[in-house]
Amino acid sequence: MKKRILALCLCLALALSGCGAMLDRGHETITTHVDYAVTEDESVLRAESYQGLVNAILYFVNGHRTGGTIRLYNYTGDVEADLANARDEVMYEDPLGAFSVRFLTYETTRVLTYYEVELRVAYSRTAQEVNGLREVTGLAGVRQELSRLVTGQESSAAFLASYFSGDRELVEQLLELACLSAPALFRHHDINSKTISLYPEAGTRRVIEVKLDWSRSAAAVAQEEKDYVQQLENAAAALLEANPSAEEGYTVEELAGIVRASAGGADERGTPLALDALSGEPASDFGLLMAMEYLCQQCGVEVEPVNGSAGLWLIVATPEGYRHLLPQGLYPVEEGDEPEEEQEPAPQSKLLYTDQELIELGYEWPAALHPVCEDYAAAQAYTGQETG
C-alpha cells in the first residue's frame, strides 16, 4: 500500500513539473508602448495594428539596429501590402529613416496564431551621425544652424528641423543670408558650389543637410579667413579710434560717414572686400555694404543683409526702429556734391528708408525673412489724429 501511495505522489510531482515547464516555455515579459510592445527580448516586438507595425519598424531604425522580429497578433489587415507601405513610410516619410536607411527588407512567416516578420536593415549613415543631429524649431532655428555652419567655417552640417515647411530654395536663400551676415569671412561669399538635401523633401519635420564645396581645402580656406579677420579687425579699430562717436555709442549715420570717408570711391568693378574698402580702395556696392555691416557688428548695432530685387542692401536698427540702408547712401561724397542746407537730399543720397518708402521706389524683397521697417512715430501721430 505504501509503495502505491509513493508511486502516485511521484507521478503527480512529475506531472506538475511538466506543466510548469510548459508554462515557462510560453512565458514572455512584455513592456507596452503606443501601438506595439517590446518583449523580454528587445529584438522581438509585438504589434496588432498598421500603426503599431510602423512604430515597431521605427523602433529598430531609431535604435540603429540591423535587424529584428515583429510578431503580428490579431492582425486583420493585408500583411504583405501593409508591410510594403510601412517600409516606404519609414524610408521615405520619416526624417531619420529617410536620412539614414539604405535599404530595408523583410520576410514573413505564419506561425499558428500570429505572423512573424524578420527585418533586415542597412544604413547609409553611422549611429554617431544620426545621434549627433541637433534638433531645432522653425525658421529661426534653421537660420541659427546655418549661421553656426558659416561662422564655424565648417564644410558641412546636418540637423533635424521641426515646424519648418520650407523647400530647398528657401534653405539656399537662408544659407546665402548667413554667408552675407559674416562680412569678415570673405571666402564664404564665393563658395565653389553647395549641396542642400532635405529628408524627406516635404513635410514639417525634416533632416536638413548642407555641404559646401570649396575650390581648395577647408583648412586652407579657414586659415586664409583667419588672417583676413585679424587684418580687418585692426583696420576697423584704427578707424573707430580716429573717429570717436559724439554720443555714448556710434549711430548708424556716424558709421556710414566713416565708410564714405574711408573708401576710395564707388566703382562697380571695385573691390568687394570690406578690408579694402576701409583701406582707401575704390569699392563696389558689395564692398561698401560689407564694410558697413562689419562696423555695425563691431559697434553693437543690429544689422542684417537683404537680398532683394535691386541686389543687396542692409537693414539696421535705429532709435526710431528698423530701417533699410541702400548702398547709394555709402557712396563717398566728392567735392561739389554736398547739397545746400536748404535743399532736400537727393533720393539716391538718402541713407535710411522705411518699408513704405522702398515700396514706393519700386523695391521688392522677401519681407517674411526680415524685420518690419515702419515709421512708428508717424503711425502714432496719425492714430492720434484719427482718435481726436
Side-chain angles (χ1 to χ4, degrees):
M1 183 68 180
K2 291 183 179 179
K3 291 183 178 179
R4 289 182 181 178
I5 294 174
L6 181 60
L8 179 59
C9 291
L10 180 59
C11 290
L12 287 173
L14 290 172
L16 290 173
S17 64
C19 291
M22 289 175 64
L23 291 173
D24 286 342
R25 284 201 298 269
H27 178 73
E28 286 184 339
T29 300
I30 296 176
T31 303
T32 302
H33 292 256
V34 178
D35 297 320
Y36 72 95
V38 182
T39 69
E40 188 175 38
D41 181 355
E42 290 188 358
S43 66
V44 180
L45 303 185
R46 173 177 177 150
E48 298 185 5
S49 65
Y50 174 76
Q51 192 56 54
L53 174 61
V54 171
N55 290 341
I57 297 174
L58 285 173
Y59 175 87
F60 292 122
V61 169
N62 292 339
H64 213 76
R65 296 171 180 265
T66 57
T69 301
I70 303 173
R71 291 175 181 168
L72 301 175
Y73 287 88
N74 306 317
Y75 201 85
T76 58
D78 185 327
V79 173
E80 290 299 329
D82 286 355
L83 273 168
N85 291 334
R87 175 192 59 196
D88 290 347
E89 186 172 334
V90 169
M91 290 187 65
Y92 305 118
E93 298 179 29
D94 178 76
L96 297 183
F99 176 68
S100 65
V101 175
R102 186 186 300 278
F103 67 81
L104 190 158
T105 62
Y106 53 84
E107 292 182 1
T108 310
T109 305
R110 176 72 177 182
V111 182
L112 297 178
T113 59
Y114 62 89
Y115 293 92
E116 185 158 288
V117 181
E118 291 292 337
L119 295 179
R120 293 291 178 268
V121 189
Y123 299 91
S124 57
R125 315 282 178 161
T126 65
Q128 184 177 7
E129 287 179 289
V130 176
N131 294 334
L133 292 173
R134 185 182 285 104
E135 186 163 2
V136 301
T137 303
L139 181 67
V142 173
R143 297 186 76 159
Q144 179 181 346
E145 285 304 303
L146 294 176
S147 177
R148 188 195 305 272
L149 164 67
V150 172
T151 56
Q153 298 172 280
E154 304 291 338
S155 15
S156 66
F159 51 92
L160 179 61
S162 299
Y163 302 102
F164 177 78
S165 56
D167 56 12
R168 186 182 290 104
E169 183 179 351
L170 177 58
V171 176
E172 184 171 3
Q173 189 176 2
L174 296 175
L175 174 62
E176 184 175 9
L177 289 175
C179 291
L180 294 172
S181 296
L185 303 181
F186 70 100
R187 283 293 178 190
H188 284 74
H189 305 151
D190 188 27
I191 300 170
N192 188 36
S193 66
K194 47 186 164 293
T195 303
I196 297 171
S197 304
L198 303 179
Y199 305 91
E201 286 286 342
T204 58
R205 190 168 186 265
R206 273 93 51 81
V207 172
I208 299 176
E209 183 177 42
V210 179
K211 294 182 179 179
L212 307 182
D213 180 21
W214 304 100
S215 55
R216 297 182 296 122
S217 72
V221 169
Q223 184 57 51
E224 188 175 0
E225 289 193 332
K226 182 179 179 181
D227 296 339
Y228 178 83
V229 167
Q230 187 59 59
Q231 296 175 48
L232 180 57
E233 184 178 334
N234 293 340
L239 285 172
L240 293 173
E241 184 178 359
N243 298 275
S245 171
E247 304 294 334
E248 185 175 344
Y250 283 92
T251 65
V252 170
E253 290 79 5
E254 288 174 328
L255 295 177
I258 293 176
V259 174
R260 282 194 295 264
S262 302
D267 185 345
E268 63 180 12
R269 294 183 297 275
T271 180
L273 300 181
L275 175 60
D276 294 343
L278 294 178
S279 301
E281 293 189 26
S284 63
D285 286 0
F286 187 91
L288 293 171
L289 289 169
M290 290 299 100
M292 179 65 185
E293 185 179 26
Y294 184 77
L295 288 182
C296 286
Q297 291 176 349
Q298 293 297 100
C299 296
V301 175
E302 189 178 348
V303 59
E304 65 177 60
V306 181
N307 210 342
S309 60
L312 186 69
W313 66 84
L314 303 175
I315 286 180
V316 293
T318 75
E320 292 75 34
Y322 292 104
R323 292 291 183 269
H324 297 272
L325 189 156
L326 301 180
Q328 295 93 318
L330 300 174
Y331 288 173
V333 179
E334 299 179 4
E335 292 184 8
D337 285 351
E338 289 282 0
E340 297 179 8
E341 290 185 4
E342 65 273 11
Q343 293 179 335
E344 290 292 327
Q348 66 270 20
S349 65
K350 182 176 178 179
L351 184 65
L352 302 174
Y353 297 82
T354 63
D355 285 348
Q356 187 59 38
E357 288 172 329
L358 272 198
I359 291 172
E360 291 173 358
L361 292 174
Y363 283 76
E364 296 178 355
W365 65 96
L369 302 182
H370 301 288
V372 175
C373 301
E374 185 177 350
D375 189 346
Y376 294 105
Q380 288 175 355
Y382 177 78
T383 303
Q385 292 176 358
E386 287 288 313
T387 305

